[in-house]
Amino acid sequence: MAFSKQQLQKFARLIQIEIPDDQLEHMGADVVFDWMTELQAIDTTGVDPMFSPARHCAPLRADVVTDGNMRAAVLANDPDTAGVSRGYFAVPKVMDE
């Protein structure tokens, strides 16, 4: 089974390794299968699966509303008071009939 240069490049991207173009010319299916055998031989017992090698996580907090019912304060930021008295922001018309 012979792989094309594009297939080998895609395979290299998937396993996240860099292969110079001059080496791709000389590669065949046996090299790809040797890589797969080497990867399968790696002992991963006790290694937890991970989504990213970076060890970061978003800080968690309770989902609680802390400053609600501020409609008047928010509407006070509108420089055009045309809609403020009715409880909404007035914006210029963006579409014609």
Side-chain angles (χ1 to χ4, degrees):
M1 171 185 236
F3 289 102
S4 70
K5 185 177 178 179
Q6 289 80 18
Q7 289 172 321
L8 289 172
Q9 287 171 333
K10 182 177 180 182
F11 182 72
R13 268 194 324 275
L14 289 173
I15 61 173
Q16 297 186 1
I17 61 172
E18 290 184 25
I19 305 173
D21 286 338
D22 58 335
Q23 287 184 3
L24 283 174
E25 300 295 331
H26 306 295
M27 289 185 169
D30 56 335
V31 174
V32 174
F33 292 125
D34 288 344
W35 285 344
M36 291 170 45
T37 304
E38 285 181 38
L39 288 173
Q40 288 176 347
I42 297 173
D43 182 22
T44 58
T45 55
V47 178
D48 293 330
M50 61 182 171
F51 294 106
S52 170
R55 298 230 178 240
H56 58 72
C57 61
L60 301 177
R61 62 174 174 77
D63 189 15
V64 178
V65 176
T66 57
D67 56 355
N69 292 329
M70 298 180 59
R71 185 178 200 170
V74 171
L75 289 173
N77 292 317
D78 188 2
D80 181 14
T81 59
V84 172
S85 63
R86 295 187 183 135
Y88 61 84
F89 287 105
V91 295
K93 186 176 182 179
V94 293
M95 295 180 65
D96 290 327
E97 301 285 331

